[in-house]
């Protein structure tokens, strides 16, 4: 129950921050907090928790967005799954690993959104390519925003998890015991 | 490790199910039942930004209250900043109410509480919804100083929140007219967040600085609302023999804190 509550509150906080903060700082770019949160949850808690967090976060984001309904749901689910599969393979405390993973996942998310936009809205192919390079700076700059913000966001989430007094998931999964 | 491989297999199986559901949502997104489901999801997501937008701010007279004695330097600085923000909000609201009273007496004042969480779509969230009488396709106007301009139209409505599609979004299209020339064309948003006025006759004598406003030809927008000014009259790409020029929006759609929601002319 505590883990569910932690996930729910964190998810709502990430979505609300992503909607409300740009109103004050202006511009149309910024880190995708929902994506980074899903990445962190998957990386930390495994593929099952990651994909569920991505699915629920994506549903809420799709409800609040003009994006095709289901697009962010599908993509964030994949993000959570992929991050969870990397658990144990990449050191989650390594800053460089955090930045690289965030940039790669964000770039994949961007490509995924473009493909979904083409399939769902039947966007002409040349507009698709044109959109990648000319979409007001908000699209092509997204991986850089996410990569730059990832270490800070992960650190904040780590501290936030500590406030909830949640156990280290690696102990719960028997990671240490079985890896020795 | 066996426990890990079984967890991964289970996760892969669940992934297939979740992706199947997500694909179903994508395919069925225009159906009424999914619209109801989406509205219910929005009821979960909307209260927090709406609550944040309604944080109480006490009215302050132009002269301001005397700051209490004994405050530290930081406290005085914070109070001064807050006072400045409140005075600016007062000034904006006075201008909006003035426009509302004289120009749009049936309009509703709505506070902007957020933006589309997907940064690529140019839309706003406002704290007025169906319960307050907002309807889909209602025109939305923003005011900056003494200048008004069309911000967009309401694209989706929930009980207490509505989404506004801005005119700078590529999905937006408005029929615009230049009164000086009598020329009508389609004003669309671009991927760069600018406006383009399309389907003009090649012989049109357009000048930089010409004002383009809503023509009233459609049922959606009343006539005479400024859309933007012509900025670039150099030859643009022509489509099927028509000309297009770039416009600077009358109002920077990214900036409004409050907007006016009109009743659609067809209603």
């Amino acid at each position: 129950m505590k883990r569910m509550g932690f996930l729910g509150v964190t998810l709502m906080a990430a979505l609300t921050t992503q909607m409300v903060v740009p109103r004050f700082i202006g511009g149309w770019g910024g880190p995708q907090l929902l994506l980074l949160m899903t990445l962190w949850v998957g990386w930390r808690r495994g593929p099952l928790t990651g994909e569920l967090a991505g699915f629920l976060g994506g549903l809420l984001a799709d409800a609040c967005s003009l994006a095709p309904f289901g697009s962010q749901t599908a993509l964030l689910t994949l993000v959570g799954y992929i991050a969870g599969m990397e658990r144990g393979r990449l050191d989650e405390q390594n800053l460089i690993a955090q930045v690289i993973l965030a940039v790669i996942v964000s770039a994949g998310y961007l490509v995924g959104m473009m493909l979904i936009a083409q399939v769902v809205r039947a966007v002409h192919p040349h507009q698709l390519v044109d959109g990648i390079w000319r979409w007001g700076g908000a699209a092509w700059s997204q991986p850089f925003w996410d990569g730059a913000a990832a270490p800070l966001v992960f650190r904040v989430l780590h501290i936030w998890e500590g406030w909830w007094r949640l156990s280290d998931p690696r102990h719960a999964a028997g990671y240490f015991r079985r890896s020795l | 490790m066996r426990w890990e491989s079984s967890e991964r297999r289970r996760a892969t199986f669940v992934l297939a199910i979740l992706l199947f559901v997500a694909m179903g949502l994508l395919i069925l997104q225009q159906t009424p039942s999914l619209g109801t489901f989406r509205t219910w999801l929005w009821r979960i997501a909307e209260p927090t930004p709406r609550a944040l937008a309604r944080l109480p701010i006490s009215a302050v007279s132009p002269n301001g209250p005397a700051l209490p004695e004994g405050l530290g330097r930081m406290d005085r600085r914070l109070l001064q900043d807050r006072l400045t923000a409140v005075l600016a909000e007062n000034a904006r609201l006075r201008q909006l109410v003035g426009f509302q009273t004289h120009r749009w007496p049936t309009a509703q004042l709505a506070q902007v509480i957020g933006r589309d969480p997907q940064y690529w779509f140019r839309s706003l969230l406002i704290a007025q919804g169906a319960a307050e009488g907002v309807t889909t396709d209602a025109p939305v106007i923003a005011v900056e100083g003494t200048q008004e301009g069309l911000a967009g139209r309401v694209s989706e409505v929930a009980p207490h929140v509505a989404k506004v599609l801005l005119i700078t979004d590529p999905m937006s299209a408005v029929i615009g007219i230049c009164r000086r020339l009598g020329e009508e064309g389609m004003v669309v948003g671009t991927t760069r967040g600018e406006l383009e006025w399309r389907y003009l006759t090649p012989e049109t004598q357009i000048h930089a600085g010409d004002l383009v406003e809503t023509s009233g030809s459609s049922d959606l927008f009343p006539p005479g609302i400024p859309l933007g000014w012509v900025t670039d009259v150099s030859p643009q790409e022509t489509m099927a023999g028509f000309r297009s020029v770039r416009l600077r929006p009358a109002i920077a759609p990214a900036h409004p804190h409050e907007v006016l929601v009109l009743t659609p002319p067809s209603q």
Side-chain angles (χ1 to χ4, degrees):
Chain A
M1 279 303 293
K2 196 197 260 188
R3 281 204 195 103
M4 293 296 293
F6 166 75
L7 266 181
V9 171
T10 309
L11 205 149
M12 287 305 301
L15 179 66
T16 302
T17 308
Q18 199 164 314
M19 282 198 290
V20 172
V21 168
R23 178 193 159 202
F24 298 101
I25 64 176
W28 293 97
Q32 297 182 95
L33 298 175
L34 265 180
L35 182 143
L36 292 174
M37 187 214 79
T38 305
L39 194 60
W40 181 84
V41 168
W43 208 2
R44 190 123 172 94
R45 298 263 162 198
L48 194 56
T49 310
E51 64 198 8
L52 286 172
F55 184 79
L56 293 172
L59 270 182
L60 289 176
D62 277 334
C64 300
S65 171
L66 291 177
F69 189 56
S71 57
Q72 295 176 88
T73 308
L75 292 173
L76 286 176
T77 305
L78 274 171
V79 166
Y81 174 78
I82 291 168
M85 297 299 259
E86 293 305 314
R87 186 178 68 160
R89 293 181 188 165
L90 294 177
D91 181 7
E92 62 187 50
Q93 308 294 326
N94 187 311
L95 282 183
I96 295 174
Q98 291 173 359
V99 171
I100 291 175
L101 187 65
V103 169
I104 291 172
V105 167
S106 183
Y109 186 90
L110 167 66
V111 172
M113 278 300 288
M114 296 293 185
L115 288 173
I116 288 174
Q118 181 176 13
V119 170
V120 174
R121 293 200 175 127
V123 174
H124 198 273
H126 82 85
Q127 283 181 343
L128 181 70
V129 175
D130 189 53
I132 294 174
W133 300 107
R134 296 182 61 222
W135 206 326
W140 63 261
S141 64
Q142 207 61 71
F144 299 102
W145 277 104
D146 293 336
L152 176 63
V153 171
F154 289 178
R155 183 72 189 140
V156 168
L157 287 170
H158 195 72
I159 295 170
W160 174 239
E161 186 188 41
W163 285 353
W164 282 73
R165 299 181 193 276
L166 290 174
S167 58
D168 190 321
R170 291 173 294 180
H171 287 292
Y175 180 87
F176 292 120
R177 185 171 62 247
R178 289 183 171 88
S179 65
L180 291 173
Chain B
M1 283 172 272
R2 264 190 216 166
W3 62 271
E4 209 173 76
S5 61
S6 71
E7 187 193 352
R8 286 170 191 251
R9 272 201 302 274
R10 193 166 50 225
T12 306
F13 177 70
V14 172
L15 174 73
I17 296 172
L18 294 178
L19 284 180
F20 180 76
V21 172
M23 291 302 135
L25 293 176
L26 274 170
I27 293 166
L28 298 172
Q29 60 182 292
Q30 299 299 333
T31 56
S33 53
L34 207 62
T36 308
F37 175 59
R38 193 169 183 173
T39 303
W40 275 104
L41 281 176
W42 207 2
R43 283 176 196 254
I44 298 171
E46 64 159 313
T48 311
R50 206 154 48 87
L52 285 175
R54 287 183 179 170
L55 288 175
I57 298 176
S58 54
V60 180
S61 71
N63 294 326
L67 294 177
E69 296 295 326
L71 280 179
R73 193 172 165 188
M74 183 60 74
D75 291 334
R76 292 181 76 85
R77 176 72 185 272
L78 285 172
L79 272 176
Q80 194 64 47
D81 288 345
R82 188 169 175 81
L83 178 61
T84 306
V86 169
L87 290 174
E89 187 187 39
N90 255 341
R92 279 199 318 271
L93 289 173
R94 282 177 206 275
Q95 278 166 349
L96 269 169
V97 169
F99 261 96
Q100 184 183 16
T101 305
H102 296 110
R103 183 118 155 84
W104 309 107
T106 60
Q108 283 176 289
L109 187 63
Q111 190 175 11
V112 175
I113 60 173
R115 293 187 187 167
D116 195 310
Q118 185 57 267
Y119 296 127
W120 310 341
F121 299 98
R122 297 174 190 274
S123 72
L124 300 174
L125 293 176
I126 59 173
Q128 296 283 322
E132 288 84 20
V134 175
T135 56
T136 309
D137 293 332
V140 176
I141 289 176
V143 175
E144 265 182 20
T146 55
Q147 176 65 50
E148 67 166 358
L150 185 70
R153 65 174 175 85
V154 175
S155 60
E156 287 182 44
V157 182
H160 297 287
V161 174
K163 286 184 209 168
V164 176
L165 177 69
L166 297 176
I167 57 170
T168 48
D169 189 281
M171 293 191 289
S172 171
V174 182
I175 300 175
I177 186 170
C178 177
R179 300 286 171 195
R180 184 180 72 82
L181 302 167
E183 178 88 17
E184 257 189 16
M186 185 81 74
V187 176
V188 298
T190 69
T191 54
R192 283 186 176 175
E194 297 167 336
L195 295 176
E196 205 168 277
W197 192 26
R198 294 179 180 170
Y199 306 117
L200 308 173
T201 53
E203 303 80 29
T204 305
Q205 297 298 318
I206 306 168
H207 299 145
D210 279 338
L211 173 66
V212 178
E213 47 192 32
T214 53
S215 71
S217 300
S218 78
D219 290 337
L220 288 180
F221 302 104
I225 304 174
L227 290 167
W229 289 274
V230 176
T231 56
D232 185 3
V233 296
S234 57
Q236 303 287 328
E237 289 179 12
T238 55
M239 280 186 284
F242 291 104
R243 187 181 170 189
S244 62
V245 295
R246 287 208 189 100
L247 305 179
R248 175 170 61 86
I251 295 291
H255 295 315
H257 296 268
E258 297 87 16
V259 294
L260 291 173
V261 182
L262 310 184
T263 306
S266 54
Q267 295 178 11

